[in-house]
Amino acid sequence: MLKLKINDKDIELEEGLTVLQACEQAGIEIPKFCYHEKLSIAGNCRMCLVEIEKSPKPIASCAMPAAEGMNIKTNTSLVEKARKGVMEFLLANHPLDCPVCDQGGECDLQDQSMFYGVDKSRFKENKRLVPEKYMGPLIKTQMTRCIHCTRCIRFATEVAGITELGAIGRGEDMQITTYLEKSMESELSANVIDLCPVGALTSKPYVFEARPWELKKTETIDVMDAVGSNIRVDTYGWEVKRILPKINEDINEEWISDKTRYACDGLKNQRLDTPYFKESNELKKISWKQAYEIIVKKIINTSPEKIAGLTGDLTNMETMYIAKEFFEKTIKSKNLDSRSDHAYVNINDRSNYIFNSKINGIEQSDLIILVGTNPRYEATILNARIRKAYLKNKTEIYSIGDSGNLTYPYKTISNSSKNIKDICENNHEISKKIINAKKPILIIGQSALKLKSAQYIFESIKKFLISNNKVSDEWNSLNIISDNASTVGGYDLDVLSSNNGKNKTLEEIQKNNFKIIFLIGQDNINFKKQDEFIIYIGSHGDKGAEIADIILPGAAYTEQEAHYTNLEGKIQKAFQASYPPGDAKEDWKILNDLSELLKRKKIFNSKDELIDSLMNYLNLKKNVKANTNIYTPEFIEEKINLDLNDYYYSNVIARASKTMSECRNNKTELKKTGTEN
């Protein structure tokens, strides 16, 4: 521990801190622009100057290590004069356009100038003018406002892992720009907007939409992937205006993906706001009463074995649980599944389908093996953690099959499933590396779990890890990357019709063996409809609504309070930020109302009762002893090729988003011009 003085107070702190960090731990705020705790130290803004005894001049506290016996002063006249001098330099070229700047009200420079700014400037020269830079459809630039803090450059290089930003020129002629002024390609690019302490980089889709004090702010959970990033949803009336990251060090730190941030404009496009019935191949508006009557009549006249249901990729746990209760208790059918593909899953043990090493545990790993996954597109935030592990620990990374540019170096192993067989039989060089590693991580993606050999791949890997003591309470090396926000929650709630790990319900749907099919937020199903009567419950007029005979408008993820379980098995609560449009209802209410008409009794009398029952179900399941019997099925040799969804069109909200469409088109144009990495 270090003993030092800050403003004549004796302070005891741990070693390895900078003076700035020491001051902040002591409860003293230090003004700063270039410093950020998640980035390397630049020390170029000089706003954090402090006085240190025996030092001839003020010291930049962000770059100075705290040492034993230091006497630091932050409130002297010398410090104040130095900071005012720095502020004068920063404002010398800064335009006076606060009234029209989108950063107004959230600007660090604006706040600090209230403390250290002066009403007059000694500079008589003309202010510089910097031409605008093109950074793609997400980031609006006003580079005349730039104060050269270089946060954006360091983020792109260090966190995003894409060297897309750099500086040209020196002094006041310095300019931040992209290579050949092309669009930023990183899926984390828009985080530079949050990092920018002035209005040089702002949100292009959000430009001139609202002021921060006009917005209602709601902390909730993202559903664009299975990571479960913590976010803040800002709404103006019914409309979601923007989404920002909320700090959670265990999951997303303080970053979010571009899709998480900008797909929100899809919440107001292609929305369903009233029930529809397809008659003579035309959709006609009907009332809720009429819709319920049609559905009830169909169900009564249909055998339960001929009724099936699929829940979707954005479906919350409350809706999946009441759907399970509705099928099992109300209509007496077992044909319900939460999957829209044939990915293999072994639900005998929860560790078989979650990310056991935890997202923040990636930083402790000394070896990472990727099997049939591209985490950059499947779980962008998780991929940033892998890059962090590489930078921090020089972690060795291998991929079975070429995963493309993952933003960090890795070694490619042939994509044949025979490599899995060789590894698990100790006939491969990787086998020894896994055995000798202290905390290895094997990440199995959905592309591998959709193969014919999926069962062999999963069970063999698990058997190999257990036999080599890599699966324990302290560290579990077996990890699964889920595709969707609802995947793990659906497995936890047993919303499955499993046939040897595969999707029995989907198999029968694709064979056209059902008469009634419920699509509950399910917009990714592919099958040729024949005589089936399809009931669609969802928020958008997408793929599910296109084939539906009756459409019931539901609520989107920002419009209802609900729970989601992320890929590492962490249950998180999402809060209502907005409300459904028109006559739309929360999905659980629709199924509850149908049950009341069919059985003269609601499944649950309130949402609180539903949540209590759901949590009791999960708690009871915890006490059930897991089946740990491991067997190795027959080996099938085949190629492990990545089966990636269109990143910008991966779900119904993203497909309805104008911004995501622009990003997608921009990516396509980059490929055409040959400027893509």
Side-chain angles (χ1 to χ4, degrees), residues 36-38 155 159 188 191 194 220-222 225-232 243-257 260-261 358-363 379-385 388 566-568 570 572:
H36 193 279
E37 61 182 7
K38 298 293 182 183
F155 172 83
V159 180
L188 294 167
N191 286 287
D194 299 330
T220 185
I221 306 300
D222 171 55
D225 55 29
V227 173
S229 298
N230 287 210
I231 57 174
R232 194 188 85 193
I243 288 176
L244 299 175
K246 178 180 174 284
I247 296 175
N248 187 321
E249 294 295 341
D250 290 337
I251 299 174
N252 59 300
E253 298 183 279
E254 53 189 277
W255 322 121
I256 54 174
S257 70
T260 297
R261 188 185 297 268
K358 307 297 181 185
I359 296 171
N360 62 353
I362 293 171
E363 296 179 33
T380 305
I381 296 297
L382 187 144
N383 191 65
R385 288 276 192 170
K388 192 175 180 181
N566 74 345
L567 55 77
E568 63 177 14
K570 185 174 290 184
Q572 300 184 101

Side-chain angles (χ1 to χ4, degrees), residues 369-373 398-403 410-421 423 428 430 442 457 461 639-642:
I369 314 291
L370 306 175
V371 183
T373 181
Y398 293 85
S399 175
I400 298 179
D402 188 0
S403 298
Y410 64 92
K411 295 176 183 176
T412 302
I413 305 169
S414 166
N415 65 347
S416 172
S417 59
K418 190 175 183 304
N419 282 306
I420 301 290
K421 186 174 186 291
I423 290 170
H428 200 283
I430 300 297
L442 275 85
I457 289 171
I461 289 174
K639 299 293 183 184
I640 305 175
N641 295 318
L642 291 180

Side-chain angles (χ1 to χ4, degrees), residues 459-502:
E459 300 295 349
S460 298
I461 289 174
K462 184 173 182 180
K463 188 175 181 179
F464 172 74
L465 291 173
I466 289 176
S467 62
N468 289 286
N469 300 316
K470 301 302 178 184
V471 175
S472 65
D473 293 338
E474 288 75 33
W475 186 262
N476 191 334
S477 297
L478 182 67
N479 298 280
I480 307 295
I481 286 190
S482 305
D483 270 348
N484 308 311
S486 65
T487 301
V488 175
Y491 295 164
D492 281 347
L493 294 170
D494 297 317
V495 184
L496 300 149
S497 55
S498 193
N499 180 15
N500 201 25
K502 298 294 179 71

Side-chain angles (χ1 to χ4, degrees), residues 272-288:
L272 300 172
D273 59 0
T274 190
Y276 289 90
F277 177 59
K278 188 177 285 183
E279 195 172 32
S280 302
N281 217 27
E282 282 188 21
L283 285 172
K284 297 180 180 179
K285 290 184 180 181
I286 57 173
S287 67
W288 277 103

Side-chain angles (χ1 to χ4, degrees), residues 476-624:
N476 191 334
S477 297
L478 182 67
N479 298 280
I480 307 295
I481 286 190
S482 305
D483 270 348
N484 308 311
S486 65
T487 301
V488 175
Y491 295 164
D492 281 347
L493 294 170
D494 297 317
V495 184
L496 300 149
S497 55
S498 193
N499 180 15
N500 201 25
K502 298 294 179 71
N503 194 336
K504 183 182 176 183
T505 296
L506 183 59
E507 286 176 1
E508 295 299 312
I509 286 174
Q510 290 172 335
K511 293 175 183 176
N512 304 103
N513 289 339
F514 295 111
K515 290 184 178 180
I516 298 176
I517 300 173
F518 280 84
L519 298 180
I520 306 167
Q522 177 54 257
D523 287 279
N524 293 330
I525 185 173
N526 291 311
F527 83 108
K528 290 183 179 178
K529 181 187 175 184
Q530 291 184 356
D531 301 324
E532 299 91 346
F533 185 83
I534 295 179
I535 302 158
Y536 174 75
I537 303 172
S539 58
H540 287 70
D542 202 78
K543 296 177 182 178
E546 287 174 5
I547 60 172
D549 294 284
I550 196 159
I551 298 170
L552 304 178
Y557 76 104
T558 57
E559 298 160 4
Q560 52 189 325
E561 190 175 291
H563 290 82
Y564 293 90
T565 304
N566 74 345
L567 55 77
E568 63 177 14
K570 185 174 290 184
I571 299 175
Q572 300 184 101
K573 187 175 182 179
F575 291 90
Q576 185 178 3
S578 182
Y579 46 88
D583 294 329
K585 297 181 180 182
E586 291 185 33
D587 299 351
W588 79 271
K589 287 183 180 179
I590 299 170
L591 293 170
N592 212 27
D593 291 344
L594 278 173
S595 181
E596 186 179 18
L597 290 169
L598 284 163
K599 292 289 185 180
R600 301 288 184 266
K601 184 183 178 183
K602 291 183 177 180
I603 303 173
F604 299 106
N605 294 315
S606 67
K607 193 160 187 182
D608 288 338
E609 187 181 325
L610 164 59
I611 294 170
D612 287 344
S613 180
L614 185 156
M615 294 303 171
N616 285 335
Y617 183 90
L618 294 175
N619 287 329
L620 287 169
K621 193 177 174 182
K622 285 180 185 176
N623 299 324
V624 177

Side-chain angles (χ1 to χ4, degrees), residues 94-145:
H94 197 80
L96 300 175
D97 60 352
C98 294
V100 297
C101 179
D102 263 340
Q103 195 82 352
E106 299 173 318
C107 179
D108 291 347
L109 184 66
Q110 202 175 55
D111 294 340
Q112 296 300 338
S113 66
M114 294 296 293
F115 286 93
Y116 302 105
V118 292
D119 58 352
K120 293 180 182 178
S121 176
R122 290 173 287 178
F123 290 89
K124 304 298 181 186
E125 295 82 2
N126 292 327
K127 291 180 182 283
R128 66 170 182 167
L129 182 64
V130 183
E132 301 316 320
K133 312 296 182 183
Y134 176 71
M135 293 190 183
L138 305 179
I139 304 167
K140 182 180 183 296
T141 64
Q142 193 78 40
M143 302 312 289
T144 305
R145 300 170 184 160

